[in-house]
Every structure is written in structure tokens, then in C-alpha cells.
């Protein structure tokens, strides 16, 4: 009879496959920018052989030119070299802060989702208090208590981003925990521990890692903002936020001192965000 | 809503619709060479399974085939006027302009779709939604419009229209929503109404009411183009039937002829797949059917011996109640499932049958009463006590896809279910046997459920339930989301597995036809209570409770003439 061809042939959903090709020109540019950043972070000397701290008072305040493509600062240090050498700091701060945020969020979010009513209540009230402060303000609070510096500002940014992730992880874990496939595992007689490890954790946590790529960009911006306020890395350091801070007094006469570090921050944040979005779209199937 | 009887409202010749691409590189046609005409006061039904192109055909008549669609036809006339617009050099119609379509929609053609919940604006009262068509297409004053909306709601059988007018779609039940949607489609008195699966989401008693309403619309002189996958529904309302498959018309003609004396193999297979009235144990699907059964209603010989309803009970539900808030979802239900037989549990949405299934599965504890499995206490009680006996019970759900961990392949899902089933044989061997048992090719083991068809997913789901060699499988609407031919295959599969493995089924469905075909014993549920139970044959032959009688009367079956 003529039924089987339509009904039993495997349909390997071609529509899905088409949706997965999310790499356009913007994504390629983002990949290139990130690749450059990673090279600059791992081996800055490859891109900029000079010394980022070499002072040359004679060359102070040079506008972009041959030999100093992005100009020099008030002490005659080469801006290009400093930006390249600052990439490592910015990237490490961004990744580390996000990692701190996500680990904290995992603990809080999973505890709230799976720990029973009272834990959920407690965690939720805590998150609400944290949410009441704008993220940066929360970071400022931490720095006020523990003093400025790169390490504290990284921790501060991590803490400030944790509540957002925690909420998402909690919602995700709850929906997975009540999903039909977890129920199906109960019906098969699986223990709570096994269901947690095999079904709930992977399905609740993996989608969050897409958000993390988005978060790194934001963390870079926040860390730079703290440095700009003089609360993170301090001026002689080749850190982008600190360079902005140093350049702000000469904004009228030496625009390149602030423009190029700012551009670096924007590019780094934009590149991670573009890639994060692409991953997100892909994951959304 | 008047048309001159015999006036041709719709003339479609050689309609082709496809998606994507342009010019010579356009995408393949999903509707390929469809032709029909529809006269005033008649109902034409387009029947087909998912992917047959029936909806695309209907929607292309109002310019709503979808983004990126291309249309070509020898003739495409709605209400006497061509809606093809300018035809390009490539033979592809450019279609009407947006404004021209809008003049046509609502005034000439009314559209009723399946899901009224998403078709009515959830933030606006239904009175305004219906009034919109009047505001756009008529010159009535506001007061006249209000009066007309009320009379429309009354004509579609909306109870208490004066207060319903102010309600939003979310406040109405599914049946009332569908009535509101029909009222809005009829508002500007179109001569043609296109109804795309208008009753599919509804309970059978409500479905019968909506069909009667649409019949009234047709009898008033409106042309009705009715799209459905359900032959039983179609046989009730259609004057003419067009059977579509994979974008082509395989058979067409007067309903009595097409449904009563089908010529094409596909139509025959579709008709055979309708379970209503087919005795227990008789195969429904083409692959296993005996040639001696051309029309299901005519079949009367039971191929299966009288089921051993006297066998020892494997599942005993006694005096079970479950309360959610102040609503009693399950109210003092007592049921017994003898080993190796099927207990059909039938009821409409909200009757508590799914809650009862969850209690039987030990997923929800009853507030009162007990469940015993194989003679031993099963529920209520801590999950720890049940775990060692979990292999005795399997579950199959309506939405198979969501019951699989999305990260797992078919192999992983089944291997997981086989854990601890039998240590004596290698998992690979058991897995191959399991796939073979449910009629799945071993090559699918590496696929993820997302990549499978609906029928294949349900087969995987059945294989998973079968893996630990259970005594009972609870099936909650296992075939409700499937096309009728796939449904037939799954029902046949379940029947065969029961005979081979002696497993008992608690078979839950809203579809009386399916339950009748599958069950040895039957329980009818409404508002949490079991109204009637007993031998399936006895309940169907002489239903005692008025509700059962109403359900039976509304059950989908092929009616001719």
C-alpha cells in the first residue's frame, strides 16, 4: 500500500539545519577581533615589541604618526603598545569576573530551584536585595569595604553580575526539574541524585554558558569603568580603564589618549557580545 | 450572508504554491496542480494529513500562504474576481496588493482557524474584535454595530451575549472562543467562509456543536471551504470532498462517493485508519490490515478472543481523591485493571483523567484512597518504597518529544531505560530487539528525537516504556497528536505488543473512537468522577449515563448521506 513512504521515512528536519548557519560577516569580524585580543593577551610582544612602561619625556603628547600609530601619552609612552599589553588584564578581568559571577549564581540558583521551599525563599529575598542596587553600585560597595585594586574590582564585578545569572539558572533548573523527561526518569525508577546529575544539571546549566559569553563583554566594560573611577587598576598600569582615567585630563589637547583605549573597550565588548548573540540564536533552534 | 444558490464563489484551476527562491530558482511546490470549484450554499472539504498542503491551499486563497510563498495558477477566482494579480513572465503571480487583499478578506471571505486563543487578541474584548470587521467593511453606526455584534453572537449560540461581549478571549472556554471567532468571520456577511481545522482543538461534544453551527452557516447560503484531517468530521459537513496528499489531489468528488466508495488506495487507507466502530484486535493500518475490511463501520468480526477480564488485577485504584486548591480534580475513583487487558479511561478536558494517570504512576500522591500494584501497596507513600518496583510500570505521553531529554539520542534514551532490566544479555542486543519490537529501523538509534517524525517519536516512547518489561503501561493520550494513518499504526503496534508481552494498558483518551477500539473495560470520567464503568462492549452498546450517551452521540464516525 501507499502509506509507508510518507509516514515512516525518517525526516531529518532540514529546517533546523538551515537555522544553524549563523556565521555572517559581523561574526567573522568578531572572531578576528577576539583572536587578536587573545594573541595580545598571551603574547603581547608579537603585536607590540616595545615596553609599555618605557618613559620618553621628549615624545610626550605626540599625536598619531609614523612610529607611534596611536600617539603617546603625557610621559611619552606609546599608546598602541600600552593598549596591546593592557588586553591581557582586561580580558582576564572580564573572564574572571564572569566566572566568579557564574559560580556564585550556580550555587544560589540551583539551591533555590532544588533545595526546597525555605531555601528558595531565602535565596530569593537575598537576590531581591542585591537586585535593588544597580550592579555598578554594588561593585562600588564591595570596593569601599575591601579597598581598591584589580583583584577586588574583579570580585566586585563578579558579585554584581551574580544575581542576574542566579535568577536565570533558578528558572531554568525549575523548568527542567518539572519537565516531562524528568518525570519520565522518575517513572523509570531513577534516584533523585541520578536524575539531578544526568538530566537536571546539564539541561539547566549548559544554556547559561551562552549567556556567559555575553557577560564577558559587560564585565570588561564594568571593570574598565571601575578603573576609570580609580577603583580598579591605577594609572601607571597598562589597563584600558586606567588609561582612560589618565587621559581624561588631557581630553581637550590629546584626544588619542582617551579615544583609542575607549575604542579597544568597545571593540572587545562588542566582539564578545556579537559572538554571544550568535551562540544564543543557534542554541534557540 | 447570502449567495445565489449555484453561484460559483471559488474557482481554482491548476493552483501551485511553493516557498522560497525566485524565478527559475524558486523553491519546490508544496501544492501542485490543485483544482476545484465551490458554489454558494455548499461545503467543500479538503482532507489530508499534516504536510499534505491543505492549509496552504486554503490560505493562498486569501493571500496568507506565508512569508516567501509564490503562487501560480491557471485560474484563481474568489467571488468571481481573479486574485492572481499581475502574472510575471515566469508564470508566477505577483498577487494582489495589500489593500486589495484587505478589501477581500472579511467582506468576501471569512477565515476561521484552529486555535481561537491565539487568533483573538487576548487584550481586547471579543465584542470589539467582532466589531472590527463591521467597522472596516460596513458603514454601520457604532450603535448599529453593537446591535449587530450581539445578534451575531446570538446566532453562533453564545450564551448570554450581552455580558460575553465584554469578555476577553482568555476568559472564554475553547468552545466559546471558537464561536466568537466564527462570529467575527461572519460579521461582514462574507459569501465564502474558509474554516481551517476549526474543531480540531475542541472536545467532541463541543466539536459537534461547532459543526452544527457551521452547517447552519452553509445552509444559509454561504459557501464553506472546510479544511480538516478528520474524515469523521468531514463526513458530517461536506457536500464534496477533496483528498490531498503531498501537495496533490488524489481523489475528489461528492462526499458520499469519496467516503462511501473510495477509489484511491490512500483514501481507502485513511478510511480504514478511523478507529471508531472497529472491533478490538482488528488492525487499522494499511500494512497489517486484512483486505476483507473496506469500510470500518461494516466490520463486525472480532479477530480477538474475549479478553480475560477476570484475570487477577494488576492495578487497583480504590477510593482515590485528589484536590487542587478548592477544586476536586479526582473524586472518589475506584478502578480495576486486570492483567493483560486494557482499561480505557475516556473524558473531556478537565475531567481529571490526567491527574488520575499521575496518581496511578506514583507521580502524585492521592489525598485519599490507595493504589495497589500487583497486589502490593503502591501509592500513597514515599518514592523510596516505590523505586524498586518502578520497572513494573511504564508511561507513554501525548507529547513524546518533551518526554525525552533533548540532549540524548534514541540509543541513549533506550539504553537508559534498559539499565538493570536484564544483566544476562548485552545492552546492544536488547536495544536492537526493542527497536525491532516497535518497528523502528536500527539506523535511527543514533538520531535525536527532534529529528524524528511524530509517529517515530511515539514508537521510541513506547519502546522506552516497554524496556523494563512492565506489567502495566499508562498511556495518556498516546495518539492524540498524530495523523490518522500514523495513529492507526501506533494503535496496531500497541495491540500487538499487548498480545505478545501480556502487558496491561491504562489507556487514557478524549477520543471515544480510539478508546472503543482499544479497550476491554471502560470508564467514563467527568468532573473528577467516574460516571460509568464496565465491559467496553456493554458500555458502548447500552450506555446508562446521559453523559455517556451524549459522548457517544458526538463521537466521530463516518456518516454518509
Amino acid at each position: 500500500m501507499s502509506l509507508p513512504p510518507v509516514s515512516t521515512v525518517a525526516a531529518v528536519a532540514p529546517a533546523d539545519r538551515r537555522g544553524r548557519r549563523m556565521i555572517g560577516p559581523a561574526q567573522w569580524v568578531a572572531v578576528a577581533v577576539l583572536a587578536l585580543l587573545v594573541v595580545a593577551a598571551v603574547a603581547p610582544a608579537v603585536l607590540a615589541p616595545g615596553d609599555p612602561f618605557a618613559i620618553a619625556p621628549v615624545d610626550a603628547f605626540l599625536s598619531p604618526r609614523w612610529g607611534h600609530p596611536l600617539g603617546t601619552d603625557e610621559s611619552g609612552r606609546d599608546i598602541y603598545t600600552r593598549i596591546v599589553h593592557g588586553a591581557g588584564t582586561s580580558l582576564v578581568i572580564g573572564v574572571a569576573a564572569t566566572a566568579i559571577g557564574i559560580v556564585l549564581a550556580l550555587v544560589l540558583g540551583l539551591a533555590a530551584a532544588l533545595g526546597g521551599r525555605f531555601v528558595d525563599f531565602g535565596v530569593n529575598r537575598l537576590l531581591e536585595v542585591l537586585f535593588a542596587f544597580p550592579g555598578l553600585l554594588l561593585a562600588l560597595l564591595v570596593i569601599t569595604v575591601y579597598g581598591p585594586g584589580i583583584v577586588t574590582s574583579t570580585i566586585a564585578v563578579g558579585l554584581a553580575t551574580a544575581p542576574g545569572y542566579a535568577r536565570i539558572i533558578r528558572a531554568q533548573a525549575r523548568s527542567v526539574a518539572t519537565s516531562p523527561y524528568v518525570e519520565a526518569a522518575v517513572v523509570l525508577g531513577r534516584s533523585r541524585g541520578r536524575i539531578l546529575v544526568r538530566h537536571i544539571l546539564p539541561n539547566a546549566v549548559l544554556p547559561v554558558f551562552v549567556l556567559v559569553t555575553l557577560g564577558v563583554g559587560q564585565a570588561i566594560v564594568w571593570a574598565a569603568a571601575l578603573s576609570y573611577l580609580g577603583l580598579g587598576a591605577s594609572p601607571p598600569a597598562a589597563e584600558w580603564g586606567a588609561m582612560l582615567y589618565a587621559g581624561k585630563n588631557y581630553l581637550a589637547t590629546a584626544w588619542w589618549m582617551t579615544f583609542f583605549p575607549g575604542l579597544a573597550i568597545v571593540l572587545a565588548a562588542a566582539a564578545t557580545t556579537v559572538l554571544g548573540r550568535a551562540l544564543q540564536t543557534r542554541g534557540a533552534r | 450572508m447570502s449567495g445565489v444558490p449555484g453561484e460559483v464563489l471559488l474557482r481554482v484551476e491548476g493552483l501551485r504554491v511553493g516557498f522560497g527562491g525566485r524565478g527559475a530558482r524558486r523553491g519546490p511546490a508544496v501544492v501542485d496542480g490543485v483544482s476545484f470549484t465551490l458554489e454558494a450554499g455548499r461545503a467543500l472539504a479538503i482532507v489530508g494529513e499534516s504536510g499534505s498542503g491543505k492549509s496552504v491551499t486554503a490560505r493562498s486563497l486569501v493571500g496568507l500562504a506565508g512569508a516567501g510563498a509564490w503562487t501560480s495558477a491557471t485560474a484563481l477566482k474568489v467571488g468571481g474576481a481573479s486574485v492572481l494579480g499581475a502574472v510575471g513572465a515566469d508564470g508566477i503571480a505577483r498577487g494582489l496588493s495589500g489593500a486589495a487583499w484587505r478589501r477581500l478578506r472579511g467582506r468576501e471571505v471569512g477565515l476561521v482557524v484552529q486555535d481561537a486563543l491565539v487568533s483573538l487578541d487576548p487584550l481586547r474584548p471579543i465584542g470589539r474584535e467582532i466589531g472590527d470587521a463591521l467597522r472596516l467593511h460596513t458603514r454601520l453606526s457604532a450603535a448599529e454595530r453593537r446591535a449587530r455584534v450581539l445578534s451575531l453572537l446570538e446566532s453562533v449560540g453564545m450564551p448570554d451575549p450581552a455580558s460575553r461581549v465584554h469578555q476577553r478571549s482568555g476568559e472564554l472556554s475553547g468552545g466559546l472562543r471558537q464561536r466568537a471567532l466564527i462570529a467575527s468571520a461572519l460579521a461582514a456577511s462574507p459569501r465564502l467562509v474558509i474554516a481551517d481545522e476549526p474543531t480540531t482543538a475542541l472536545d467532541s461534544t463541543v466539536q459537534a456543536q461547532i459543526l452544527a453551527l457551521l452547517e447552519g452557516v452553509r445552509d444559509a447560503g454561504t459557501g464553506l471551504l472546510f479544511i480538516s484531517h478528520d474524515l469523521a468530521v468531514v463526513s458530517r459537513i461536506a457536500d464534496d470532498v477533496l483528498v490531498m496528499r503531498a501537495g496533490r489531489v488524489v481523489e475528489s468528488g461528492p462526499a458520499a462517493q469519496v467516503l462511501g466508495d473510495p477509489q484511491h488506495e490512500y483514501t481507502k487507507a485513511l478510511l480504514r485508519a478511523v478507529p471508531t466502530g472497529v472491533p478490538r484486535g482488528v488492525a487499522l493500518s494499511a500494512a497489517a490490515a486484512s483486505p476483507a475490511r473496506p469500510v470500518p463501520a461494516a466490520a463486525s468480526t472480532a479477530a480477538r478472543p474475549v479478553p480475560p477480564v477476570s484475570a487477577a488485577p494488576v492495578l487497583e485504584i480504590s477510593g482515590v481523591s485528589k484536590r487542587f486548591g478548592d477544586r476536586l480534580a479526582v473524586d472518589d475513583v475506584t478502578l480495576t485493571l486486570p492483567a493483560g487487558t486494557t482499561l480505557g479511561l475516556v473524558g473531556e478536558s478537565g475531567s481529571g483523567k490526567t491527574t488520575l494517570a499521575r496518581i496511578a504512576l506514583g507521580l502524585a500522591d492521592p489525598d485519599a484512597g490507595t493504589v495497589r500494584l500487583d497486589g502490593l501497596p503502591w501509592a500513597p507513600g514515599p518514592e523510596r518504597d516505590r523505586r524498586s518496583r518502578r520497572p513494573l510500570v511504564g508511561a507513554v505521553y501525548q507529547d513524546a518529544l518533551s518526554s525525552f531529554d533533548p540532549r540524548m539520542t534514541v540509543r541513549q534514551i533506550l539504553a537508559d531505560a534498559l539499565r538493570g532490566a536484564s544483566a544476562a544479555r548485552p545492552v546492544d542486543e536488547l536495544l536492537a530487539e526493542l527497536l525491532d519490537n516497535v518497528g523502528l529501523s536500527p539506523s535511527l538509534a543514533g538520531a535525536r528525537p527532534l529529528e524524528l517524525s511524530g509517529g517515530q517519536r511515539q514508537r521510541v516512547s513506547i519502546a522506552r516504556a516497554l524496556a523494563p518489561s512492565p506489567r502495566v503501561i499508562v498511556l495518556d493520550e498516546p495518539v492524540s497528536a498524530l495523523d490518522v494513518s500514523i495513529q492507526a499504526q501506533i494503535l496496531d503496534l500497541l495491540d500487538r505488543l499487548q498480545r505478545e508481552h501480556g502487558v496491561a494498558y491504562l489507556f487514557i483518551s478524549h477520543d471515544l473512537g480510539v478508546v472503543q477500539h482499544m479497550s476491554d473495560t471502560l470508564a467514563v470520567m467527568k468532573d473528577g468522577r467516574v460516571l460509568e464503568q464496565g465491559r467496553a462492549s456493554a458500555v458502548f452498546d447500552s450506555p446508562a449515563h446521559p453523559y455517556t450517551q451524549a459522548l457517544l452521540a458526538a463521537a466521530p464516525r463516518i456518516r454518509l448521506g
Side-chain angles (χ1 to χ4, degrees):
Chain A
M1 282 233 178
S2 47
L3 273 182
V6 173
S7 48
T8 55
V9 166
V12 186
D16 281 341
R17 293 281 151 87
R18 209 178 305 138
R20 303 224 159 171
R21 297 240 154 255
M22 290 312 298
I23 299 210
Q27 281 73 29
W28 281 119
V29 172
V31 168
V33 168
L34 270 191
L36 270 180
L37 278 180
V38 170
V39 171
V42 176
V46 173
L47 296 175
D51 177 0
F53 298 103
I55 294 173
V58 203
D59 293 338
F61 298 120
L62 290 182
S63 61
R65 67 190 58 203
W66 188 251
H68 296 292
L70 306 183
T72 61
D73 67 5
E74 78 278 13
S75 307
R77 292 173 293 212
D78 183 46
I79 304 262
Y80 168 71
T81 309
R82 287 173 63 74
I83 287 180
V84 169
H85 285 260
T89 320
S90 289
L91 220 55
V92 167
I93 291 178
V95 171
T98 312
I100 290 171
I102 209 81
V103 168
L104 205 64
L106 274 176
V107 174
L108 287 175
L110 290 177
L114 311 169
R117 201 186 326 160
F118 293 108
V119 179
D120 190 29
F121 182 85
V123 171
N124 268 324
R125 297 300 87 76
L126 176 68
L127 290 182
E128 274 157 20
V129 170
L130 293 179
F131 262 120
F133 297 99
L136 207 53
L137 206 64
L138 199 66
L140 286 177
L141 187 76
V142 174
I143 290 169
T144 317
V145 176
Y146 293 100
I150 292 186
V151 175
T152 36
S153 76
T154 306
I155 295 173
V157 171
L159 280 179
T161 53
Y165 294 131
R167 279 252 162 123
I168 295 167
I169 290 172
R170 173 178 170 273
Q172 189 78 26
R174 276 179 80 103
S175 82
V176 172
T178 56
S179 72
Y181 56 87
V182 164
E183 210 171 273
V186 174
V187 170
L188 282 174
R190 301 291 170 255
S191 67
R192 251 183 93 79
R194 191 181 151 77
I195 291 173
L196 186 73
V197 171
R198 193 164 165 80
H199 298 293
I200 299 182
L201 283 185
N203 282 299
V205 173
L206 290 181
V208 176
F209 279 91
V210 173
L211 283 179
V212 169
T213 45
L214 284 173
V216 170
Q218 193 199 15
I220 290 174
V221 172
W222 280 16
L226 287 176
S227 295
Y228 176 78
L229 295 174
L231 302 171
S234 32
E239 199 271 348
W240 296 344
M243 289 170 73
L244 275 183
Y245 175 70
K248 77 171 194 298
N249 293 335
Y250 311 103
L251 204 53
T253 49
W255 57 268
W256 53 89
M257 281 181 67
T258 43
F259 177 78
F260 290 110
L263 189 65
I265 294 170
V266 169
L267 282 180
T272 51
T273 308
V274 165
L275 281 187
R277 284 261 176 253
L279 283 175
Q280 208 172 27
T281 325
R282 199 193 122 152
R285 34 171 188 255
Chain B
M1 46 183 106
S2 58
V4 184
E7 181 194 0
V8 174
L9 295 177
L10 203 52
R11 179 180 295 285
V12 178
E13 273 170 40
L15 176 67
R16 303 184 70 213
V17 187
F19 292 92
R22 284 187 170 277
R25 293 185 53 206
R26 71 187 190 224
V30 297
V31 172
D32 197 356
V34 170
S35 305
F36 57 87
T37 58
L38 173 61
E39 294 169 5
R42 288 185 74 81
L44 170 69
I46 303 183
V47 191
E49 300 189 283
S50 37
S52 64
K54 57 189 191 301
S55 280
V56 175
T57 300
R59 284 164 181 272
S60 67
L61 299 176
V62 282
L64 294 174
W70 55 263
T71 305
S72 79
T74 323
L76 193 60
K77 290 186 172 177
V78 177
S82 177
V83 297
L84 276 176
V87 176
D90 50 4
I92 303 292
R94 296 284 161 262
L96 297 182
S97 68
W101 274 126
R102 283 193 291 277
R103 274 195 299 277
L104 194 69
R105 295 178 198 143
R107 186 159 63 189
E108 284 283 329
V109 186
L111 183 66
V112 181
V113 294
Q114 175 177 347
D115 195 346
L117 184 57
V118 295
S119 310
L120 292 168
D121 188 333
L123 296 178
R124 302 179 67 207
I126 55 165
R128 278 171 158 250
E129 285 280 295
I130 299 166
D132 265 357
L134 297 171
R135 202 166 45 78
L136 292 169
H137 297 297
T138 66
R139 293 164 179 278
L140 298 179
S141 69
E144 285 169 326
R145 281 207 302 271
R146 268 197 297 278
R148 173 100 175 101
V149 166
L150 282 179
S151 75
L152 273 167
L153 281 176
E154 210 169 297
S155 72
V156 297
M158 178 77 75
D160 191 15
S163 65
R164 298 283 182 189
V165 154
H166 304 293
Q167 289 187 312
R168 293 174 180 82
S169 63
E171 301 170 71
L172 301 175
S173 68
L176 293 186
R177 269 203 298 271
Q178 201 65 13
R179 284 173 194 273
L181 193 64
I182 291 174
S184 82
L186 296 177
S189 308
R191 291 188 294 164
L192 174 66
V193 169
I194 297 176
D196 189 357
E197 301 270 10
T199 62
T200 303
L202 304 175
D203 283 330
S204 58
T205 50
V206 184
Q207 187 174 51
Q209 293 162 11
I210 297 293
L211 283 178
L213 169 60
L214 288 172
E215 263 172 329
V217 169
R218 175 200 64 186
D219 294 341
T222 308
L224 181 62
L225 183 63
F226 193 93
I227 315 297
S228 181
H229 71 283
D230 189 334
L231 285 165
V233 164
V234 163
S235 73
R236 271 199 57 155
I237 196 163
D239 301 305
D240 301 287
V241 174
L242 197 77
V243 182
M244 279 186 77
R245 185 189 188 205
R248 291 171 186 276
V249 176
V250 298
E251 189 162 1
S252 65
Q257 181 194 321
V258 172
L259 301 177
D261 182 23
Q263 298 303 309
H264 195 278
E265 285 304 323
Y266 181 67
T267 317
K268 288 181 192 171
L270 275 184
L271 280 165
R272 191 180 299 115
V274 176
T276 309
V278 179
R280 184 121 169 69
V282 175
L284 298 168
S285 64
S290 56
R293 207 164 55 77
V295 177
S300 59
T301 49
R304 187 189 161 92
V306 176
V309 184
S310 51
V314 64
L315 186 72
E316 296 160 89
I317 297 171
S318 26
V320 160
S321 296
K322 177 79 181 174
R323 182 179 286 281
F324 292 118
D326 52 0
R327 199 174 62 85
L328 207 50
V330 175
D331 185 1
D332 193 20
V333 168
T334 300
L335 293 172
T336 311
L337 174 58
T341 68
T342 300
L343 167 60
L345 188 59
V346 70
E348 305 198 321
S349 38
S351 60
K353 51 194 196 306
T354 294
T355 305
L356 192 62
R358 290 177 52 82
I359 291 172
L361 283 168
L363 290 170
D365 267 351
D367 295 334
T370 58
V371 181
R372 293 171 79 80
L373 179 69
D374 232 4
L376 296 170
W378 173 252
E383 178 64 25
R384 221 174 314 113
D385 299 348
R386 272 190 293 268
R387 201 162 288 145
S388 63
R389 293 202 297 143
R390 278 281 178 201
L392 294 175
V393 184
V396 173
Y397 307 90
Q398 172 173 6
D399 181 6
L401 183 60
S402 73
S403 76
F404 302 129
D405 189 324
R407 297 176 313 114
M408 291 186 164
T409 61
V410 170
R411 183 195 313 281
Q412 288 170 321
I413 290 165
L414 296 183
D416 196 47
L418 280 166
R419 262 169 51 99
S422 160
R425 298 166 60 196
V427 168
D428 277 348
E429 196 182 311
L430 289 169
L431 205 129
E433 188 182 299
L434 210 50
L435 285 173
D436 181 55
N437 245 332
V438 297
L440 280 176
S441 150
S443 64
L444 293 178
R448 279 172 216 284
L450 193 68
E451 300 160 354
L452 301 179
S453 70
Q456 288 169 334
R457 287 172 191 163
Q458 205 53 287
R459 283 172 195 268
V460 174
S461 167
I462 292 169
R464 174 176 62 184
L466 210 58
S469 309
R471 309 259 349 250
V472 186
I473 299 182
V474 177
L475 304 113
D476 190 359
E477 302 273 8
V479 294
S480 304
L482 303 176
D483 275 332
V484 61
S485 61
I486 309 297
Q487 166 178 304
Q489 292 169 12
I490 297 293
L491 292 180
D492 287 350
L493 171 68
L494 288 171
D495 195 48
R496 177 170 62 78
L497 291 174
Q498 183 166 55
R499 272 183 277 122
E500 289 173 3
H501 298 260
V503 59
Y505 293 147
L506 176 58
F507 193 101
I508 297 171
S509 179
H510 71 283
D511 187 330
L512 213 57
V514 170
V515 170
Q516 180 183 17
H517 174 66
M518 292 301 290
S519 309
D520 300 307
T521 52
L522 179 75
V524 180
M525 265 190 101
K526 187 179 197 295
D527 300 332
R529 243 169 305 196
V530 170
L531 298 180
E532 186 165 3
Q533 58 176 315
R535 279 274 185 136
S537 50
V539 174
F540 277 101
D541 289 345
S542 50
H545 197 280
Y547 178 73
T548 315
Q549 292 164 1
L551 263 187
L552 271 174
R557 54 168 57 84
I558 308 276
R559 297 150 210 250
L560 299 173

